[in-house]
Amino acid sequence: MKINIILYSLKIIFVSLILTTDCSSKNPTPPEQPSKILTKTNDFLVDSLATTETIALFKNLQELSKTKVLFGHQDDLAYGINWWAEAGRSDVKEVCGDYPAIYGWDLGDIHQQANLDGVDFNQMKAWIKEAYSRGGINTISLHLDNPVTAGNSWDNTPAVKAILPNRNQHAAYLKTLDLIANFLKALKTDAGIQIPIIFRPYHEHNHTWSWWGRNSCTTDEYNALWQMTVEYFRDKHQIHHLLYAISPQEANSETAYFARYPGDDYVDIFGLDYYKLYNKSFVSDLGKSLHLIATLAENRGKISALTEVGVERVPDPNWWTEYLLAALKYSEQSKKTAWALVWRNASKDHHFAPYQGHKSVPDFLKFYRDQLMIFENELPDMYR
Ligand code: BMA
């Protein structure tokens, strides 16, 4: 009898545990409704209710970009060549003694424990906090799964139409956005300050590899997806610590840059992703594009940035100064690029930043010491 009661109680505990876990993963917190009337904080950002720190980040980036380019690296604190999730480590720091000024992260696979590249989301939150506490800047991209097929980002089966308002996959897609919103809301200091994030969804949309790319959805559908996402975070979830960055890949005319563009009211930062810098003949091509987007950004009160760049394995030992720095220094305008972020150091065959012992280290040190470049230690307070 006693044993039966014990077994029965254990069963109840077990079932309720399962139910709780199930509910929290399937039903993320629904958006909060604003509890008070919020007052406008600015009239130049996508979010007129942006927090003080977010406005400061934008203004400081705008000011700093007149004289400096910040260096950024994807997943810098999470792993590097021959190490994984070790406190304090960073390939960039181990090469030049300083952390990058900008840290890139990605929320692909947000419905799981770890992202598509294996980075644990709880650890990612801690690293974002750590970077912020040192004065660094965090940017987040989204390699989200195809919402229609459940394939990955590179499954370019058309899907955008199905997730727009009033379409059959809309509600399901909002659940994914809820998971992202909850992650973003959790990015707070111990004092309760929301950590500003440069949010860079649906990138390289002028190319064709992704389900939001040019062969998979129309321009109107893409713009509607972007606008819907901004409005959902900003107005429904009341998230006010984001700057919104758009980043076509290799766009070298105004028409190309704005071919798929949700509008000035929905974009704070004009980014560019560029992966053709494997040959010196492309230095001036990138320089011209940076010149162009810096000018477009300036004319519209925005900021421009080289949101992704790099050559896998950095095969030319002088790549840092003779390719990247040369492109950034192409003109007075191109020098106004706010930052340049290189992609992740996954392995010796797939890395974009140097690591100890790599043949590009001496040149990276020259790049690091160049007056134009700025890493974390030299950053002014970006949040005041
Ligand atoms: C790509 C590669 C992939 C990775 C993806 C998202 O460019 O680095 O290995 O999964 O980015 O980070």
PDB file of all heavy atoms in Angstrom, residues 74-75 79 106 115-117 143 154 275 308 343-344 346 350 352, ligand 1:
ATOM      1  N   GLN A  74      32.653  36.892 -35.650  1.00  0.00           N
ATOM      2  CA  GLN A  74      31.511  36.033 -35.336  1.00  0.00           C
ATOM      3  C   GLN A  74      31.903  34.950 -34.330  1.00  0.00           C
ATOM      4  O   GLN A  74      32.968  34.334 -34.471  1.00  0.00           O
ATOM      5  CB  GLN A  74      31.013  35.385 -36.649  1.00  0.00           C
ATOM      6  CG  GLN A  74      29.745  34.572 -36.528  1.00  0.00           C
ATOM      7  CD  GLN A  74      28.506  35.427 -36.341  1.00  0.00           C
ATOM      8  OE1 GLN A  74      28.552  36.664 -36.409  1.00  0.00           O
ATOM      9  NE2 GLN A  74      27.372  34.785 -36.097  1.00  0.00           N
ATOM     10  N   ASP A  75      31.067  34.738 -33.321  1.00  0.00           N
ATOM     11  CA  ASP A  75      31.265  33.661 -32.317  1.00  0.00           C
ATOM     12  C   ASP A  75      32.609  33.749 -31.603  1.00  0.00           C
ATOM     13  O   ASP A  75      33.139  32.722 -31.133  1.00  0.00           O
ATOM     14  CB  ASP A  75      31.154  32.274 -32.987  1.00  0.00           C
ATOM     15  CG  ASP A  75      29.713  31.895 -33.305  1.00  0.00           C
ATOM     16  OD1 ASP A  75      28.787  32.555 -32.799  1.00  0.00           O
ATOM     17  OD2 ASP A  75      29.512  30.930 -34.069  1.00  0.00           O
ATOM     18  N   TYR A  79      34.142  29.856 -29.361  1.00  0.00           N
ATOM     19  CA  TYR A  79      35.104  28.822 -29.758  1.00  0.00           C
ATOM     20  C   TYR A  79      36.132  29.412 -30.721  1.00  0.00           C
ATOM     21  O   TYR A  79      35.957  30.518 -31.234  1.00  0.00           O
ATOM     22  CB  TYR A  79      34.396  27.628 -30.448  1.00  0.00           C
ATOM     23  CG  TYR A  79      33.539  28.044 -31.623  1.00  0.00           C
ATOM     24  CD1 TYR A  79      34.099  28.236 -32.888  1.00  0.00           C
ATOM     25  CD2 TYR A  79      32.181  28.302 -31.472  1.00  0.00           C
ATOM     26  CE1 TYR A  79      33.330  28.656 -33.956  1.00  0.00           C
ATOM     27  CE2 TYR A  79      31.399  28.724 -32.536  1.00  0.00           C
ATOM     28  CZ  TYR A  79      31.981  28.895 -33.775  1.00  0.00           C
ATOM     29  OH  TYR A  79      31.233  29.336 -34.832  1.00  0.00           O
ATOM     30  N   ASP A 106      24.463  34.189 -33.696  1.00  0.00           N
ATOM     31  CA  ASP A 106      23.380  33.786 -34.600  1.00  0.00           C
ATOM     32  C   ASP A 106      22.352  32.942 -33.848  1.00  0.00           C
ATOM     33  O   ASP A 106      22.713  32.066 -33.059  1.00  0.00           O
ATOM     34  CB  ASP A 106      23.952  32.974 -35.775  1.00  0.00           C
ATOM     35  CG  ASP A 106      22.961  32.893 -36.922  1.00  0.00           C
ATOM     36  OD1 ASP A 106      22.022  32.065 -36.845  1.00  0.00           O
ATOM     37  OD2 ASP A 106      23.098  33.682 -37.884  1.00  0.00           O
ATOM     38  N   ASN A 115      22.644  26.613 -30.982  1.00  0.00           N
ATOM     39  CA  ASN A 115      22.373  27.113 -32.330  1.00  0.00           C
ATOM     40  C   ASN A 115      22.907  26.176 -33.410  1.00  0.00           C
ATOM     41  O   ASN A 115      23.489  25.126 -33.097  1.00  0.00           O
ATOM     42  CB  ASN A 115      22.851  28.567 -32.489  1.00  0.00           C
ATOM     43  CG  ASN A 115      24.331  28.675 -32.865  1.00  0.00           C
ATOM     44  OD1 ASN A 115      25.076  27.688 -32.892  1.00  0.00           O
ATOM     45  ND2 ASN A 115      24.761  29.873 -33.167  1.00  0.00           N
ATOM     46  N   LEU A 116      22.731  26.555 -34.655  1.00  0.00           N
ATOM     47  CA  LEU A 116      23.087  25.653 -35.757  1.00  0.00           C
ATOM     48  C   LEU A 116      24.563  25.292 -35.798  1.00  0.00           C
ATOM     49  O   LEU A 116      24.932  24.284 -36.399  1.00  0.00           O
ATOM     50  CB  LEU A 116      22.623  26.228 -37.104  1.00  0.00           C
ATOM     51  CG  LEU A 116      23.384  27.419 -37.699  1.00  0.00           C
ATOM     52  CD1 LEU A 116      23.024  27.577 -39.164  1.00  0.00           C
ATOM     53  CD2 LEU A 116      23.141  28.699 -36.957  1.00  0.00           C
ATOM     54  N   ASP A 117      25.394  26.098 -35.118  1.00  0.00           N
ATOM     55  CA  ASP A 117      26.821  25.785 -35.088  1.00  0.00           C
ATOM     56  C   ASP A 117      27.238  25.203 -33.737  1.00  0.00           C
ATOM     57  O   ASP A 117      28.438  25.127 -33.429  1.00  0.00           O
ATOM     58  CB  ASP A 117      27.638  27.035 -35.428  1.00  0.00           C
ATOM     59  CG  ASP A 117      27.313  27.543 -36.832  1.00  0.00           C
ATOM     60  OD1 ASP A 117      27.190  26.721 -37.756  1.00  0.00           O
ATOM     61  OD2 ASP A 117      27.145  28.774 -36.999  1.00  0.00           O
ATOM     62  N   HIS A 143      20.088  32.629 -38.947  1.00  0.00           N
ATOM     63  CA  HIS A 143      20.032  31.562 -39.954  1.00  0.00           C
ATOM     64  C   HIS A 143      18.881  30.635 -39.567  1.00  0.00           C
ATOM     65  O   HIS A 143      19.108  29.522 -39.071  1.00  0.00           O
ATOM     66  CB  HIS A 143      21.354  30.789 -40.003  1.00  0.00           C
ATOM     67  CG  HIS A 143      22.447  31.477 -40.773  1.00  0.00           C
ATOM     68  ND1 HIS A 143      23.303  32.393 -40.209  1.00  0.00           N
ATOM     69  CD2 HIS A 143      22.810  31.381 -42.075  1.00  0.00           C
ATOM     70  CE1 HIS A 143      24.158  32.825 -41.135  1.00  0.00           C
ATOM     71  NE2 HIS A 143      23.882  32.230 -42.277  1.00  0.00           N
ATOM     72  N   TRP A 154      19.308  27.228 -45.883  1.00  0.00           N
ATOM     73  CA  TRP A 154      19.744  27.060 -47.270  1.00  0.00           C
ATOM     74  C   TRP A 154      18.712  26.289 -48.098  1.00  0.00           C
ATOM     75  O   TRP A 154      18.891  26.129 -49.302  1.00  0.00           O
ATOM     76  CB  TRP A 154      21.106  26.361 -47.325  1.00  0.00           C
ATOM     77  CG  TRP A 154      22.200  27.207 -46.737  1.00  0.00           C
ATOM     78  CD1 TRP A 154      23.040  28.032 -47.429  1.00  0.00           C
ATOM     79  CD2 TRP A 154      22.572  27.329 -45.352  1.00  0.00           C
ATOM     80  NE1 TRP A 154      23.906  28.657 -46.563  1.00  0.00           N
ATOM     81  CE2 TRP A 154      23.645  28.258 -45.293  1.00  0.00           C
ATOM     82  CE3 TRP A 154      22.099  26.773 -44.160  1.00  0.00           C
ATOM     83  CZ2 TRP A 154      24.252  28.613 -44.075  1.00  0.00           C
ATOM     84  CZ3 TRP A 154      22.703  27.130 -42.961  1.00  0.00           C
ATOM     85  CH2 TRP A 154      23.762  28.039 -42.928  1.00  0.00           C
ATOM     86  N   TYR A 275      32.058  38.664 -49.908  1.00  0.00           N
ATOM     87  CA  TYR A 275      32.931  37.479 -49.865  1.00  0.00           C
ATOM     88  C   TYR A 275      33.782  37.314 -51.127  1.00  0.00           C
ATOM     89  O   TYR A 275      34.240  36.221 -51.414  1.00  0.00           O
ATOM     90  CB  TYR A 275      32.098  36.219 -49.581  1.00  0.00           C
ATOM     91  CG  TYR A 275      31.748  36.124 -48.099  1.00  0.00           C
ATOM     92  CD1 TYR A 275      30.465  36.420 -47.631  1.00  0.00           C
ATOM     93  CD2 TYR A 275      32.718  35.776 -47.171  1.00  0.00           C
ATOM     94  CE1 TYR A 275      30.166  36.353 -46.265  1.00  0.00           C
ATOM     95  CE2 TYR A 275      32.442  35.714 -45.808  1.00  0.00           C
ATOM     96  CZ  TYR A 275      31.159  36.001 -45.366  1.00  0.00           C
ATOM     97  OH  TYR A 275      30.887  35.941 -44.015  1.00  0.00           O
ATOM     98  N   GLU A 308      29.592  41.544 -42.871  1.00  0.00           N
ATOM     99  CA  GLU A 308      30.282  40.247 -42.979  1.00  0.00           C
ATOM    100  C   GLU A 308      31.319  40.386 -44.078  1.00  0.00           C
ATOM    101  O   GLU A 308      31.025  40.892 -45.162  1.00  0.00           O
ATOM    102  CB  GLU A 308      29.337  39.121 -43.417  1.00  0.00           C
ATOM    103  CG  GLU A 308      28.537  38.484 -42.321  1.00  0.00           C
ATOM    104  CD  GLU A 308      27.761  37.250 -42.808  1.00  0.00           C
ATOM    105  OE1 GLU A 308      28.302  36.421 -43.570  1.00  0.00           O
ATOM    106  OE2 GLU A 308      26.590  37.135 -42.410  1.00  0.00           O
ATOM    107  N   TRP A 343      33.862  36.395 -40.366  1.00  0.00           N
ATOM    108  CA  TRP A 343      33.045  35.248 -39.951  1.00  0.00           C
ATOM    109  C   TRP A 343      33.805  34.336 -38.996  1.00  0.00           C
ATOM    110  O   TRP A 343      34.912  34.626 -38.567  1.00  0.00           O
ATOM    111  CB  TRP A 343      32.500  34.546 -41.205  1.00  0.00           C
ATOM    112  CG  TRP A 343      31.202  33.852 -40.943  1.00  0.00           C
ATOM    113  CD1 TRP A 343      30.947  32.510 -41.108  1.00  0.00           C
ATOM    114  CD2 TRP A 343      29.985  34.434 -40.458  1.00  0.00           C
ATOM    115  NE1 TRP A 343      29.642  32.241 -40.745  1.00  0.00           N
ATOM    116  CE2 TRP A 343      29.041  33.391 -40.335  1.00  0.00           C
ATOM    117  CE3 TRP A 343      29.599  35.720 -40.074  1.00  0.00           C
ATOM    118  CZ2 TRP A 343      27.732  33.606 -39.859  1.00  0.00           C
ATOM    119  CZ3 TRP A 343      28.304  35.942 -39.609  1.00  0.00           C
ATOM    120  CH2 TRP A 343      27.400  34.898 -39.513  1.00  0.00           C
ATOM    121  N   ARG A 344      33.245  33.204 -38.685  1.00  0.00           N
ATOM    122  CA  ARG A 344      33.648  32.398 -37.526  1.00  0.00           C
ATOM    123  C   ARG A 344      34.941  31.580 -37.731  1.00  0.00           C
ATOM    124  O   ARG A 344      35.292  31.248 -38.862  1.00  0.00           O
ATOM    125  CB  ARG A 344      32.491  31.483 -37.133  1.00  0.00           C
ATOM    126  CG  ARG A 344      32.099  30.483 -38.206  1.00  0.00           C
ATOM    127  CD  ARG A 344      30.692  29.962 -38.035  1.00  0.00           C
ATOM    128  NE  ARG A 344      30.539  28.689 -38.756  1.00  0.00           N
ATOM    129  CZ  ARG A 344      30.593  27.503 -38.158  1.00  0.00           C
ATOM    130  NH1 ARG A 344      30.768  27.421 -36.851  1.00  0.00           N
ATOM    131  NH2 ARG A 344      30.467  26.404 -38.871  1.00  0.00           N
ATOM    132  N   ALA A 346      35.770  28.197 -37.169  1.00  0.00           N
ATOM    133  CA  ALA A 346      35.237  26.875 -36.826  1.00  0.00           C
ATOM    134  C   ALA A 346      36.337  25.813 -36.809  1.00  0.00           C
ATOM    135  O   ALA A 346      36.333  24.914 -35.967  1.00  0.00           O
ATOM    136  CB  ALA A 346      34.151  26.492 -37.817  1.00  0.00           C
ATOM    137  N   HIS A 350      37.970  26.096 -41.983  1.00  0.00           N
ATOM    138  CA  HIS A 350      36.862  27.049 -42.086  1.00  0.00           C
ATOM    139  C   HIS A 350      37.035  28.107 -40.989  1.00  0.00           C
ATOM    140  O   HIS A 350      36.436  28.039 -39.930  1.00  0.00           O
ATOM    141  CB  HIS A 350      35.521  26.307 -41.940  1.00  0.00           C
ATOM    142  CG  HIS A 350      34.321  27.175 -42.198  1.00  0.00           C
ATOM    143  ND1 HIS A 350      34.081  27.792 -43.403  1.00  0.00           N
ATOM    144  CD2 HIS A 350      33.285  27.551 -41.389  1.00  0.00           C
ATOM    145  CE1 HIS A 350      32.953  28.486 -43.333  1.00  0.00           C
ATOM    146  NE2 HIS A 350      32.462  28.363 -42.121  1.00  0.00           N
ATOM    147  N   PHE A 352      38.028  32.585 -40.516  1.00  0.00           N
ATOM    148  CA  PHE A 352      38.135  33.878 -41.207  1.00  0.00           C
ATOM    149  C   PHE A 352      38.953  34.887 -40.414  1.00  0.00           C
ATOM    150  O   PHE A 352      39.360  35.915 -40.945  1.00  0.00           O
ATOM    151  CB  PHE A 352      36.730  34.430 -41.504  1.00  0.00           C
ATOM    152  CG  PHE A 352      35.930  33.527 -42.416  1.00  0.00           C
ATOM    153  CD1 PHE A 352      35.259  32.415 -41.919  1.00  0.00           C
ATOM    154  CD2 PHE A 352      35.884  33.761 -43.780  1.00  0.00           C
ATOM    155  CE1 PHE A 352      34.555  31.556 -42.759  1.00  0.00           C
ATOM    156  CE2 PHE A 352      35.169  32.925 -44.639  1.00  0.00           C
ATOM    157  CZ  PHE A 352      34.505  31.806 -44.118  1.00  0.00           C
TER     158      PHE A 352
HETATM  159  C1  BMA B   1      28.163  29.792 -42.858  1.00  0.00           C
HETATM  160  C2  BMA B   1      29.139  28.705 -42.455  1.00  0.00           C
HETATM  161  C3  BMA B   1      28.334  27.580 -41.859  1.00  0.00           C
HETATM  162  C4  BMA B   1      27.495  28.121 -40.681  1.00  0.00           C
HETATM  163  C5  BMA B   1      26.696  29.338 -41.086  1.00  0.00           C
HETATM  164  C6  BMA B   1      25.994  29.995 -39.919  1.00  0.00           C
HETATM  165  O1  BMA B   1      28.786  30.814 -43.550  1.00  0.00           O
HETATM  166  O2  BMA B   1      30.068  29.198 -41.509  1.00  0.00           O
HETATM  167  O3  BMA B   1      29.199  26.580 -41.404  1.00  0.00           O
HETATM  168  O4  BMA B   1      26.630  27.131 -40.212  1.00  0.00           O
HETATM  169  O5  BMA B   1      27.543  30.287 -41.699  1.00  0.00           O
HETATM  170  O6  BMA B   1      26.886  30.425 -38.947  1.00  0.00           O
END
